[in-house]
mmCIF file of all heavy atoms in Angstrom:
data_model
loop_
_atom_site.group_PDB
_atom_site.id
_atom_site.type_symbol
_atom_site.label_atom_id
_atom_site.label_comp_id
_atom_site.label_asym_id
_atom_site.label_seq_id
_atom_site.Cartn_x
_atom_site.Cartn_y
_atom_site.Cartn_z
ATOM 1 N N ILE F 115 -6.892 19.696 -16.189
ATOM 2 C CA ILE F 115 -8.270 19.885 -15.713
ATOM 3 C C ILE F 115 -9.184 20.106 -16.910
ATOM 4 O O ILE F 115 -8.979 21.011 -17.691
ATOM 5 C CB ILE F 115 -8.395 21.104 -14.759
ATOM 6 C CG1 ILE F 115 -7.508 20.966 -13.529
ATOM 7 C CG2 ILE F 115 -9.847 21.323 -14.357
ATOM 8 C CD1 ILE F 115 -7.537 22.179 -12.573
ATOM 9 N N CYS F 116 -10.133 19.177 -17.093
ATOM 10 C CA CYS F 116 -11.051 19.251 -18.225
ATOM 11 C C CYS F 116 -12.434 19.610 -17.707
ATOM 12 O O CYS F 116 -12.781 19.364 -16.531
ATOM 13 C CB CYS F 116 -11.081 17.872 -18.906
ATOM 14 S SG CYS F 116 -12.366 17.674 -20.175
ATOM 15 N N HIS F 117 -13.280 20.160 -18.592
ATOM 16 C CA HIS F 117 -14.619 20.560 -18.151
ATOM 17 C C HIS F 117 -15.437 19.365 -17.655
ATOM 18 O O HIS F 117 -16.320 19.501 -16.858
ATOM 19 C CB HIS F 117 -15.340 21.299 -19.298
ATOM 20 C CG HIS F 117 -16.370 22.223 -18.787
ATOM 21 N ND1 HIS F 117 -16.345 23.574 -18.989
ATOM 22 C CD2 HIS F 117 -17.489 22.001 -18.007
ATOM 23 C CE1 HIS F 117 -17.390 24.131 -18.361
ATOM 24 N NE2 HIS F 117 -18.103 23.189 -17.775
ATOM 25 N N THR F 118 -15.111 18.162 -18.110
ATOM 26 C CA THR F 118 -15.816 17.008 -17.661
ATOM 27 C C THR F 118 -15.584 16.734 -16.167
ATOM 28 O O THR F 118 -16.463 16.232 -15.470
ATOM 29 C CB THR F 118 -15.412 15.780 -18.513
ATOM 30 O OG1 THR F 118 -15.822 16.067 -19.839
ATOM 31 C CG2 THR F 118 -16.087 14.496 -18.060
ATOM 32 N N HIS F 121 -18.071 18.920 -14.610
ATOM 33 C CA HIS F 121 -19.388 18.293 -14.661
ATOM 34 C C HIS F 121 -19.542 17.297 -13.490
ATOM 35 O O HIS F 121 -20.566 17.232 -12.869
ATOM 36 C CB HIS F 121 -19.547 17.434 -15.928
ATOM 37 C CG HIS F 121 -19.924 18.166 -17.182
ATOM 38 N ND1 HIS F 121 -21.007 18.978 -17.273
ATOM 39 C CD2 HIS F 121 -19.372 18.156 -18.421
ATOM 40 C CE1 HIS F 121 -21.097 19.481 -18.494
ATOM 41 N NE2 HIS F 121 -20.105 18.978 -19.221
ATOM 42 N N HIS F 138 -9.016 12.861 -15.434
ATOM 43 C CA HIS F 138 -9.009 11.816 -16.477
ATOM 44 C C HIS F 138 -8.067 12.215 -17.618
ATOM 45 O O HIS F 138 -8.194 11.709 -18.726
ATOM 46 C CB HIS F 138 -10.443 11.574 -16.976
ATOM 47 C CG HIS F 138 -11.023 12.780 -17.641
ATOM 48 N ND1 HIS F 138 -11.516 13.831 -16.894
ATOM 49 C CD2 HIS F 138 -11.144 13.140 -18.934
ATOM 50 C CE1 HIS F 138 -11.932 14.762 -17.720
ATOM 51 N NE2 HIS F 138 -11.730 14.381 -18.977
ATOM 52 N N CYS F 164 -9.352 7.111 -20.340
ATOM 53 C CA CYS F 164 -10.708 7.220 -19.831
ATOM 54 C C CYS F 164 -11.658 6.516 -20.833
ATOM 55 O O CYS F 164 -12.843 6.319 -20.522
ATOM 56 C CB CYS F 164 -11.137 8.630 -19.547
ATOM 57 S SG CYS F 164 -10.962 9.771 -20.903
ATOM 58 N N CYS F 245 -7.208 13.341 -22.950
ATOM 59 C CA CYS F 245 -8.604 13.752 -23.222
ATOM 60 C C CYS F 245 -8.657 14.900 -24.213
ATOM 61 O O CYS F 245 -8.947 14.702 -25.387
ATOM 62 C CB CYS F 245 -9.336 14.092 -21.964
ATOM 63 S SG CYS F 245 -10.983 14.732 -22.361
ATOM 64 N N THR F 249 -9.612 14.427 -28.142
ATOM 65 C CA THR F 249 -11.044 14.525 -28.387
ATOM 66 C C THR F 249 -11.321 15.558 -29.488
ATOM 67 O O THR F 249 -12.052 15.273 -30.465
ATOM 68 C CB THR F 249 -11.745 14.955 -27.106
ATOM 69 O OG1 THR F 249 -11.537 13.960 -26.101
ATOM 70 C CG2 THR F 249 -13.254 15.145 -27.327
ATOM 71 N N PHE F 269 -17.977 25.709 -32.366
ATOM 72 C CA PHE F 269 -18.699 26.373 -31.257
ATOM 73 C C PHE F 269 -18.051 26.015 -29.924
ATOM 74 O O PHE F 269 -18.102 24.844 -29.540
ATOM 75 C CB PHE F 269 -20.154 25.928 -31.250
ATOM 76 C CG PHE F 269 -21.032 26.454 -32.328
ATOM 77 C CD1 PHE F 269 -20.827 26.055 -33.639
ATOM 78 C CD2 PHE F 269 -22.086 27.291 -32.047
ATOM 79 C CE1 PHE F 269 -21.657 26.542 -34.672
ATOM 80 C CE2 PHE F 269 -22.897 27.791 -33.026
ATOM 81 C CZ PHE F 269 -22.681 27.422 -34.357
ATOM 82 N N GLY F 270 -17.435 26.978 -29.267
ATOM 83 C CA GLY F 270 -16.804 26.717 -27.970
ATOM 84 C C GLY F 270 -15.295 26.575 -28.126
ATOM 85 O O GLY F 270 -14.808 25.725 -28.868
ATOM 86 N N LEU F 271 -14.600 27.485 -27.478
ATOM 87 C CA LEU F 271 -13.121 27.553 -27.683
ATOM 88 C C LEU F 271 -12.365 27.299 -26.413
ATOM 89 O O LEU F 271 -11.420 27.946 -26.035
ATOM 90 C CB LEU F 271 -12.738 28.952 -28.298
ATOM 91 C CG LEU F 271 -13.475 29.301 -29.601
ATOM 92 C CD1 LEU F 271 -13.140 30.717 -30.005
ATOM 93 C CD2 LEU F 271 -13.096 28.310 -30.683
ATOM 94 N N GLY F 272 -12.824 26.216 -25.689
ATOM 95 C CA GLY F 272 -12.018 25.746 -24.568
ATOM 96 C C GLY F 272 -10.880 24.866 -25.143
ATOM 97 O O GLY F 272 -10.614 24.881 -26.331
ATOM 98 N N GLY F 273 -10.223 24.117 -24.239
ATOM 99 C CA GLY F 273 -9.151 23.255 -24.698
ATOM 100 C C GLY F 273 -9.557 22.319 -25.790
ATOM 101 O O GLY F 273 -8.833 22.021 -26.732
ATOM 102 N N VAL F 274 -10.793 21.783 -25.686
ATOM 103 C CA VAL F 274 -11.270 20.804 -26.639
ATOM 104 C C VAL F 274 -11.612 21.505 -27.984
ATOM 105 O O VAL F 274 -11.169 21.079 -29.043
ATOM 106 C CB VAL F 274 -12.472 20.014 -26.099
ATOM 107 C CG1 VAL F 274 -12.866 18.910 -27.071
ATOM 108 C CG2 VAL F 274 -12.118 19.420 -24.728
ATOM 109 N N GLY F 275 -12.374 22.633 -27.910
ATOM 110 C CA GLY F 275 -12.704 23.348 -29.153
ATOM 111 C C GLY F 275 -11.492 23.839 -29.876
ATOM 112 O O GLY F 275 -11.429 23.765 -31.137
ATOM 113 N N VAL F 293 -16.436 30.284 -32.812
ATOM 114 C CA VAL F 293 -17.609 30.886 -32.195
ATOM 115 C C VAL F 293 -17.516 30.761 -30.681
ATOM 116 O O VAL F 293 -17.352 29.638 -30.143
ATOM 117 C CB VAL F 293 -18.911 30.214 -32.670
ATOM 118 C CG1 VAL F 293 -20.128 30.857 -32.034
ATOM 119 C CG2 VAL F 293 -19.013 30.192 -34.175
ATOM 120 N N ASP F 294 -17.558 31.864 -29.968
ATOM 121 C CA ASP F 294 -17.549 31.803 -28.494
ATOM 122 C C ASP F 294 -18.185 33.079 -27.909
ATOM 123 O O ASP F 294 -18.098 34.139 -28.549
ATOM 124 C CB ASP F 294 -16.113 31.632 -27.923
ATOM 125 C CG ASP F 294 -16.096 31.022 -26.535
ATOM 126 O OD1 ASP F 294 -16.587 31.648 -25.588
ATOM 127 O OD2 ASP F 294 -15.539 29.872 -26.405
ATOM 128 N N ILE F 295 -18.844 32.953 -26.746
ATOM 129 C CA ILE F 295 -19.420 34.138 -26.111
ATOM 130 C C ILE F 295 -18.346 34.896 -25.279
ATOM 131 O O ILE F 295 -18.645 35.976 -24.795
ATOM 132 C CB ILE F 295 -20.616 33.754 -25.192
ATOM 133 C CG1 ILE F 295 -20.238 32.623 -24.285
ATOM 134 C CG2 ILE F 295 -21.860 33.380 -26.013
ATOM 135 C CD1 ILE F 295 -21.310 32.311 -23.220
ATOM 136 N N ASN F 296 -17.173 34.306 -25.170
ATOM 137 C CA ASN F 296 -16.059 34.995 -24.485
ATOM 138 C C ASN F 296 -15.008 35.394 -25.553
ATOM 139 O O ASN F 296 -14.238 34.573 -25.982
ATOM 140 C CB ASN F 296 -15.506 34.023 -23.431
ATOM 141 C CG ASN F 296 -14.309 34.609 -22.677
ATOM 142 O OD1 ASN F 296 -13.831 35.695 -23.027
ATOM 143 N ND2 ASN F 296 -13.824 33.881 -21.689
ATOM 144 N N LYS F 299 -11.199 34.512 -25.973
ATOM 145 C CA LYS F 299 -10.692 33.255 -26.503
ATOM 146 C C LYS F 299 -10.224 33.390 -27.980
ATOM 147 O O LYS F 299 -9.610 32.503 -28.524
ATOM 148 C CB LYS F 299 -11.753 32.172 -26.459
ATOM 149 C CG LYS F 299 -12.409 31.959 -25.075
ATOM 150 C CD LYS F 299 -11.588 30.961 -24.267
ATOM 151 C CE LYS F 299 -12.146 30.880 -22.857
ATOM 152 N NZ LYS F 299 -11.978 29.592 -22.278
ATOM 153 N N PRO F 314 -21.551 35.411 -30.533
ATOM 154 C CA PRO F 314 -23.037 35.490 -30.740
ATOM 155 C C PRO F 314 -23.668 36.669 -30.047
ATOM 156 O O PRO F 314 -24.725 37.167 -30.453
ATOM 157 C CB PRO F 314 -23.532 34.156 -30.168
ATOM 158 C CG PRO F 314 -22.347 33.263 -30.215
ATOM 159 C CD PRO F 314 -21.143 34.102 -30.005
ATOM 160 N N GLU F 338 -19.985 21.158 -32.195
ATOM 161 C CA GLU F 338 -20.469 21.725 -30.896
ATOM 162 C C GLU F 338 -19.555 21.211 -29.821
ATOM 163 O O GLU F 338 -19.471 20.024 -29.557
ATOM 164 C CB GLU F 338 -21.916 21.275 -30.636
ATOM 165 C CG GLU F 338 -22.633 22.215 -29.708
ATOM 166 C CD GLU F 338 -22.397 22.021 -28.198
ATOM 167 O OE1 GLU F 338 -21.715 21.048 -27.842
ATOM 168 O OE2 GLU F 338 -22.830 22.844 -27.401
ATOM 169 N N VAL F 339 -18.829 22.143 -29.166
ATOM 170 C CA VAL F 339 -17.847 21.767 -28.176
ATOM 171 C C VAL F 339 -18.074 22.538 -26.888
ATOM 172 O O VAL F 339 -17.147 23.085 -26.268
ATOM 173 C CB VAL F 339 -16.406 21.982 -28.708
ATOM 174 C CG1 VAL F 339 -15.442 21.009 -28.054
ATOM 175 C CG2 VAL F 339 -16.309 21.822 -30.218
ATOM 176 N N ILE F 340 -19.376 22.652 -26.508
ATOM 177 C CA ILE F 340 -19.776 23.380 -25.326
ATOM 178 C C ILE F 340 -20.556 22.453 -24.368
ATOM 179 O O ILE F 340 -20.286 22.408 -23.171
ATOM 180 C CB ILE F 340 -20.665 24.605 -25.705
ATOM 181 C CG1 ILE F 340 -19.889 25.508 -26.707
ATOM 182 C CG2 ILE F 340 -21.100 25.367 -24.453
ATOM 183 C CD1 ILE F 340 -20.833 26.450 -27.465
ATOM 184 N N GLY F 341 -21.539 21.763 -24.975
ATOM 185 C CA GLY F 341 -22.353 20.880 -24.144
ATOM 186 C C GLY F 341 -23.686 21.541 -23.706
ATOM 187 O O GLY F 341 -24.165 21.271 -22.598
ATOM 188 N N HIS F 342 -24.298 22.351 -24.598
ATOM 189 C CA HIS F 342 -25.603 22.951 -24.326
ATOM 190 C C HIS F 342 -26.549 22.538 -25.449
ATOM 191 O O HIS F 342 -26.192 22.485 -26.622
ATOM 192 C CB HIS F 342 -25.551 24.472 -24.336
ATOM 193 C CG HIS F 342 -24.785 25.066 -23.235
ATOM 194 N ND1 HIS F 342 -24.468 26.404 -23.157
ATOM 195 C CD2 HIS F 342 -24.285 24.509 -22.089
ATOM 196 C CE1 HIS F 342 -23.817 26.636 -22.032
ATOM 197 N NE2 HIS F 342 -23.674 25.537 -21.398
ATOM 198 N N ASP F 344 -29.078 24.191 -26.748
ATOM 199 C CA ASP F 344 -29.359 25.220 -27.783
ATOM 200 C C ASP F 344 -28.180 25.394 -28.748
ATOM 201 O O ASP F 344 -28.395 25.588 -29.973
ATOM 202 C CB ASP F 344 -29.727 26.591 -27.109
ATOM 203 C CG ASP F 344 -28.715 27.070 -26.126
ATOM 204 O OD1 ASP F 344 -27.805 26.308 -25.773
ATOM 205 O OD2 ASP F 344 -28.807 28.242 -25.677
ATOM 206 N N THR F 345 -26.958 25.261 -28.295
ATOM 207 C CA THR F 345 -25.840 25.389 -29.230
ATOM 208 C C THR F 345 -25.693 24.125 -30.075
ATOM 209 O O THR F 345 -25.142 24.169 -31.206
ATOM 210 C CB THR F 345 -24.524 25.728 -28.502
ATOM 211 O OG1 THR F 345 -24.387 24.906 -27.304
ATOM 212 C CG2 THR F 345 -24.462 27.190 -28.119
ATOM 213 N N VAL F 363 -19.585 17.161 -29.896
ATOM 214 C CA VAL F 363 -18.448 16.750 -29.024
ATOM 215 C C VAL F 363 -18.829 16.959 -27.571
ATOM 216 O O VAL F 363 -18.489 16.168 -26.713
ATOM 217 C CB VAL F 363 -17.174 17.602 -29.355
ATOM 218 C CG1 VAL F 363 -15.978 17.110 -28.552
ATOM 219 C CG2 VAL F 363 -16.855 17.509 -30.852
ATOM 220 N N GLY F 364 -19.619 18.032 -27.276
ATOM 221 C CA GLY F 364 -20.018 18.329 -25.903
ATOM 222 C C GLY F 364 -21.056 17.282 -25.425
ATOM 223 O O GLY F 364 -21.701 16.653 -26.267
ATOM 224 N N GLU F 365 -21.195 17.234 -24.119
ATOM 225 C CA GLU F 365 -22.090 16.258 -23.527
ATOM 226 C C GLU F 365 -23.122 16.982 -22.716
ATOM 227 O O GLU F 365 -22.802 17.899 -21.950
ATOM 228 C CB GLU F 365 -21.255 15.360 -22.640
ATOM 229 C CG GLU F 365 -21.988 14.226 -22.020
ATOM 230 C CD GLU F 365 -21.085 13.367 -21.136
ATOM 231 O OE1 GLU F 365 -19.869 13.590 -21.071
ATOM 232 O OE2 GLU F 365 -21.634 12.461 -20.490
ATOM 233 N N THR F 388 -19.034 11.963 -31.286
ATOM 234 C CA THR F 388 -17.751 11.285 -31.181
ATOM 235 C C THR F 388 -17.315 11.198 -29.740
ATOM 236 O O THR F 388 -17.570 12.122 -28.951
ATOM 237 C CB THR F 388 -16.680 11.986 -32.044
ATOM 238 O OG1 THR F 388 -15.440 11.317 -31.865
ATOM 239 C CG2 THR F 388 -16.471 13.449 -31.656
ATOM 240 N N LEU F 389 -16.684 10.138 -29.409
ATOM 241 C CA LEU F 389 -16.116 10.010 -28.049
ATOM 242 C C LEU F 389 -14.587 9.976 -28.223
ATOM 243 O O LEU F 389 -14.072 9.147 -29.015
ATOM 244 C CB LEU F 389 -16.537 8.656 -27.447
ATOM 245 C CG LEU F 389 -17.902 8.631 -26.739
ATOM 246 C CD1 LEU F 389 -18.163 7.229 -26.266
ATOM 247 C CD2 LEU F 389 -17.944 9.597 -25.589
ATOM 248 N N LEU F 390 -13.902 10.812 -27.473
ATOM 249 C CA LEU F 390 -12.452 10.861 -27.527
ATOM 250 C C LEU F 390 -11.918 10.949 -28.926
ATOM 251 O O LEU F 390 -10.927 10.371 -29.306
ATOM 252 C CB LEU F 390 -11.862 9.634 -26.806
ATOM 253 C CG LEU F 390 -11.455 9.832 -25.355
ATOM 254 C CD1 LEU F 390 -10.326 10.844 -25.165
ATOM 255 C CD2 LEU F 390 -12.589 10.173 -24.435
ATOM 256 N N LEU F 433 -10.949 27.864 -14.700
ATOM 257 C CA LEU F 433 -11.801 27.287 -15.756
ATOM 258 C C LEU F 433 -13.185 27.956 -15.717
ATOM 259 O O LEU F 433 -13.710 28.347 -16.741
ATOM 260 C CB LEU F 433 -11.930 25.778 -15.507
ATOM 261 C CG LEU F 433 -12.920 25.052 -16.423
ATOM 262 C CD1 LEU F 433 -12.292 24.812 -17.802
ATOM 263 C CD2 LEU F 433 -13.327 23.703 -15.879
ATOM 264 N N SER F 438 -8.725 30.300 -18.194
ATOM 265 C CA SER F 438 -7.697 29.301 -18.604
ATOM 266 C C SER F 438 -8.176 28.577 -19.825
ATOM 267 O O SER F 438 -9.360 28.545 -20.096
ATOM 268 C CB SER F 438 -7.462 28.308 -17.452
ATOM 269 O OG SER F 438 -8.698 27.634 -17.145
ATOM 270 N N ILE F 439 -7.225 27.995 -20.575
ATOM 271 C CA ILE F 439 -7.581 27.043 -21.588
ATOM 272 C C ILE F 439 -7.384 25.699 -20.918
ATOM 273 O O ILE F 439 -8.295 24.976 -20.558
ATOM 274 C CB ILE F 439 -6.734 27.187 -22.875
ATOM 275 C CG1 ILE F 439 -6.919 28.591 -23.504
ATOM 276 C CG2 ILE F 439 -7.080 26.065 -23.881
ATOM 277 C CD1 ILE F 439 -8.326 28.859 -23.975
ATOM 278 N N ARG F 440 -6.129 25.340 -20.651
ATOM 279 C CA ARG F 440 -5.846 24.156 -19.854
ATOM 280 C C ARG F 440 -4.948 24.526 -18.717
ATOM 281 O O ARG F 440 -3.891 25.146 -18.938
ATOM 282 C CB ARG F 440 -5.208 23.050 -20.662
ATOM 283 C CG ARG F 440 -6.154 22.118 -21.386
ATOM 284 C CD ARG F 440 -7.041 21.437 -20.379
ATOM 285 N NE ARG F 440 -7.773 20.347 -20.938
ATOM 286 C CZ ARG F 440 -9.103 20.405 -21.256
ATOM 287 N NH1 ARG F 440 -9.773 21.496 -21.126
ATOM 288 N NH2 ARG F 440 -9.692 19.323 -21.708
HETATM 289 N N1 COD Q 255 -22.007 29.957 -27.182
HETATM 290 C C1 COD Q 255 -20.680 29.940 -27.540
HETATM 291 N N2 COD Q 255 -19.660 29.556 -26.677
HETATM 292 C C2 COD Q 255 -20.027 29.191 -25.445
HETATM 293 C C3 COD Q 255 -21.359 29.214 -24.994
HETATM 294 C C4 COD Q 255 -22.357 29.634 -25.918
HETATM 295 N N3 COD Q 255 -23.665 29.616 -25.588
HETATM 296 N N4 COD Q 255 -21.364 28.815 -23.700
HETATM 297 C C5 COD Q 255 -20.101 28.567 -23.341
HETATM 298 N N5 COD Q 255 -19.282 28.814 -24.355
HETATM 299 C C6 COD Q 255 -17.837 28.685 -24.430
HETATM 300 C C7 COD Q 255 -17.118 29.162 -23.174
HETATM 301 O O1 COD Q 255 -16.893 30.532 -23.172
HETATM 302 C C8 COD Q 255 -15.786 28.361 -23.282
HETATM 303 O O2 COD Q 255 -14.781 29.065 -23.981
HETATM 304 C C9 COD Q 255 -16.156 27.105 -24.078
HETATM 305 O O3 COD Q 255 -17.500 27.287 -24.531
HETATM 306 C C10 COD Q 255 -16.064 25.812 -23.264
HETATM 307 O O4 COD Q 255 -14.768 25.596 -22.879
HETATM 308 P P1 COD Q 255 -14.288 24.875 -21.520
HETATM 309 O O5 COD Q 255 -12.830 25.202 -21.341
HETATM 310 O O6 COD Q 255 -15.190 25.220 -20.414
HETATM 311 O O7 COD Q 255 -14.519 23.327 -21.855
HETATM 312 P P2 COD Q 255 -13.562 22.167 -22.444
HETATM 313 O O8 COD Q 255 -12.986 22.603 -23.759
HETATM 314 O O9 COD Q 255 -12.567 21.679 -21.371
HETATM 315 O O10 COD Q 255 -14.613 20.979 -22.617
HETATM 316 C C11 COD Q 255 -15.740 21.128 -23.382
HETATM 317 C C12 COD Q 255 -16.530 19.805 -23.558
HETATM 318 C C13 COD Q 255 -17.705 20.139 -24.385
HETATM 319 C C14 COD Q 255 -15.672 18.787 -24.311
HETATM 320 C C15 COD Q 255 -16.900 19.174 -22.188
HETATM 321 O O11 COD Q 255 -17.555 20.083 -21.430
HETATM 322 C C16 COD Q 255 -17.822 17.979 -22.396
HETATM 323 O O12 COD Q 255 -18.998 18.104 -22.542
HETATM 324 N N6 COD Q 255 -17.238 16.763 -22.332
HETATM 325 C C17 COD Q 255 -17.955 15.522 -22.524
HETATM 326 C C18 COD Q 255 -17.824 15.030 -23.934
HETATM 327 C C19 COD Q 255 -16.613 14.151 -24.176
HETATM 328 O O13 COD Q 255 -16.531 13.352 -25.065
HETATM 329 N N7 COD Q 255 -15.602 14.313 -23.438
HETATM 330 C C20 COD Q 255 -14.455 13.511 -23.584
HETATM 331 C C21 COD Q 255 -13.986 13.094 -22.233
HETATM 332 S S1 COD Q 255 -13.987 14.486 -21.313
#
Side-chain angles (χ1 to χ4, degrees):
I115 298 178
C116 171
H117 205 119
T118 297
H121 278 307
H138 63 282
C164 56
C245 174
T249 299
F269 287 67
L271 304 173
V274 185
V293 182
D294 203 296
I295 49 173
N296 178 353
K299 306 273 173 148
E338 202 279 352
V339 207
I340 303 162
H342 291 171
D344 55 349
T345 44
V363 184
E365 183 180 357
T388 177
L389 276 177
L390 265 296
L433 174 79
S438 58
I439 300 297
R440 271 301 192 258

